[in-house]
Amino acid sequence: MNTFQVKLTVPRYLPFCLSPPEDDVDLEALVNDMNSSLESLYSTCSGQQTESTPLLHNGQASSSHHGLRRSQPMHILAVRRLQEAEQQLRTSSLPAIPNPFPELCSPASSPVLSPGSLPPGEPSTGNYIVKIFSEDGLGKVVEIPADMTARDLCQLLVYKSHCVDDNSWALVEHHPLLGLERCLEDHELVVHVQASMNSDSRFLFRKNYAKYEFFRNPLTFFPEQMVAWCQETSRTIPPSHSCPEIQGHLYVKEVGRKSWKKVYMFLRRSGLYCSTKGTSKEPRHLQLLADLEDSNIFTVITGKKQHGAPTDYEFCIKPNKGRGEMKELRMLCAEDEQGRTCWMTAFRLFKYGIVLYQNYKIPQQRKTLLSHFSAPVRSVSENSLVAMDFSGRIGRVIDNPVEAQSAAMEEGHAWRKRSQRMNILGSHSPLHHSSLSSVIHIAQLWFHGRITREESHRIIHQQGQVDGLFLLRVSQSNPKAFVLTLCHHQKIKHFQILPCEEDGQVFFSLDDGSTKFTDLIQLVEFYQLNRGVLPCKLKHPCTVVAL
């Protein structure tokens, strides 16, 4: 198609001659000819959509090419139509603008103007407003670029909240009305995920120790009876680069009904299938239930109560392009926690593949780079401390590390002697609530106060259910005792910590007095180094940080 440009001029007035023209001109015929040529010209220009010439502000086109037709006047209405079409094309290509006043936006206080203008997979620019909530229900509004990943946002929140960065923080997509939540993968773009969320959905900032635990202990995540080996006869473990399919029985909620049906499932790279005839793998007996590419897997946090699930180990597959309605969800339920974890982990591996392993290796690579430094990596507050000596008239900085370490040990022994002397002199009653040993643990991140057993189960489950995940809480049956809640082999166990008195001093013991500690901090530090009577060491404290 030949490209041509047309120069259009709009006369603002009709020139009048002061003297009569040399030749008589029929004005009515001239206007009719102009109108007819104008209509034919406008129809020709409007028919070429892809090669149309952009107009300038005065209604004229660029004249940089040769072969132009002679200028002719045209109607103001035609010029306005072309300018309106140009303005509509120009505004439709603009990116979404962050709303500086989300509380005034409608509907449902959307944090970003035109949330549907950012479909996943399309590049975009500019900054966007995202609101993140902590476990206590309080939120923080942050402004992020469109290309910020979930890992980068977690790093930003760790920095702003002064948390210890141990690469176990995660961003959670939470849907309270549907009772669903999932941890975003580190490489996912936060703005793209927010564009697909409903008005009632929100982001949560919490710990997730089990995000990459299956790379460290794969045998605990993939039981032998659920893995379909590549070689059924020899039953040898397949190569590490391959991903065998997962098989087993699952409860499936029938669409449009409240009943659940137990069927045999197969999870492959192409999707999740159910067998219509027993455990048959023949293609004619397999029915596709969900596509992995266009969906995400969620944990159901209100399984028995909201959906009438047969067990407590429910999960769900939700399409990405769905409207968030209950009928679009594929509700599934496993027999136990190990089965649910296996299905959900395999779903992530099939969906993202090598990208998950790259996300897992990035923190290790950073740790390797930091290991070249002589000083250990500690929190910001610890790195800002220096050793001081105040024994003289003025204080001095202790430069010698050996002298600083001996001074710290001497100060620790002196503190212990002062606390024992206070108990002996009777300044504080050993069993009194205000004694130092009974309140020193309150500021620790692993202490969660007076919470119920069910609440401790919920926190342990949310933060990963890995071996050694623990918290301490006040006992409900004995107000003077405490309870250690510990996760081992994806099972939650409780151990009571009882106070005992000896020579007028209060101690805490986990094994009926065989091993005694002056406070709970000593107890936790001991079992972090020694297993003792516990099934495993204390490794990961359940932490709740307020943003």
Side-chain angles (χ1 to χ4, degrees), residues 295-500:
S295 57
N296 282 310
I297 194 162
F298 287 78
T299 302
V300 182
I301 56 180
T302 58
K304 277 191 172 182
K305 181 184 300 183
Q306 186 173 0
H307 306 288
T311 67
D312 294 326
Y313 313 105
E314 189 181 5
F315 60 100
C316 154
I317 298 178
K318 177 179 177 295
N320 296 333
K321 298 181 180 180
R323 294 175 294 179
E325 298 181 0
M326 195 67 65
K327 60 182 180 180
E328 299 173 345
L329 307 179
R330 178 64 68 178
M331 311 300 296
L332 305 167
C333 194
E335 293 283 357
D336 51 18
E337 182 60 42
Q338 187 181 30
R340 176 171 67 173
T341 304
C342 179
W343 286 103
M344 298 184 67
T345 305
F347 187 98
R348 294 173 56 202
L349 283 172
F350 278 125
K351 181 177 176 63
Y352 298 107
I354 192 64
V355 180
L356 282 186
Y357 187 73
Q358 295 173 353
N359 295 341
Y360 164 67
K361 297 296 292 185
I362 288 176
Q364 294 185 344
Q365 296 172 358
R366 293 179 180 177
K367 186 177 180 180
T368 304
L369 295 175
L370 293 175
S371 64
H372 297 288
F373 295 94
S374 58
V377 179
R378 299 174 296 180
S379 63
V380 178
S381 59
E382 291 176 346
N383 287 327
S384 62
L385 299 178
V386 294
M388 298 287 296
D389 179 18
F390 294 99
S391 59
R393 293 184 178 180
I394 59 176
R396 67 179 182 91
V397 178
I398 303 177
D399 297 326
N400 189 355
V402 178
E403 183 184 358
Q405 185 176 3
S406 61
M409 295 178 62
E410 183 180 354
E411 179 66 22
H413 289 304
W415 179 83
R416 294 293 181 187
K417 291 179 180 179
R418 285 195 299 268
S419 62
Q420 293 177 1
R421 192 182 307 115
M422 290 173 61
N423 287 334
I424 294 174
L425 293 178
S427 60
H428 292 287
S429 176
L431 296 178
H432 198 268
H433 179 71
S434 61
S435 61
L436 184 62
S437 61
S438 62
V439 298
I440 193 174
H441 55 268
I442 294 180
Q444 301 300 312
L445 296 177
W446 38 258
F447 185 72
H448 290 249
R450 196 177 301 274
I451 62 175
T452 62
R453 175 185 288 250
E454 291 75 18
E455 184 70 11
S456 66
H457 283 214
R458 184 187 65 83
I459 297 175
I460 291 286
H461 173 73
Q462 287 179 347
Q463 301 196 11
Q465 286 189 282
V466 297
D467 288 353
L469 183 61
F470 74 97
L471 62 86
L472 265 72
R473 57 187 175 89
V474 178
S475 175
Q476 291 181 304
S477 58
N478 188 356
K480 296 181 180 179
F482 300 90
V483 177
L484 170 66
T485 303
L486 176 65
C487 182
H488 178 64
H489 288 172
Q490 297 181 345
K491 295 182 180 180
I492 302 175
K493 301 180 180 180
H494 304 273
F495 303 89
Q496 197 169 40
I497 304 173
L498 296 174
C500 56

Side-chain angles (χ1 to χ4, degrees), residues 1 42-50:
M1 182 180 296
Y42 181 74
S43 61
T44 304
C45 294
S46 60
Q48 300 183 6
Q49 298 178 357
T50 58

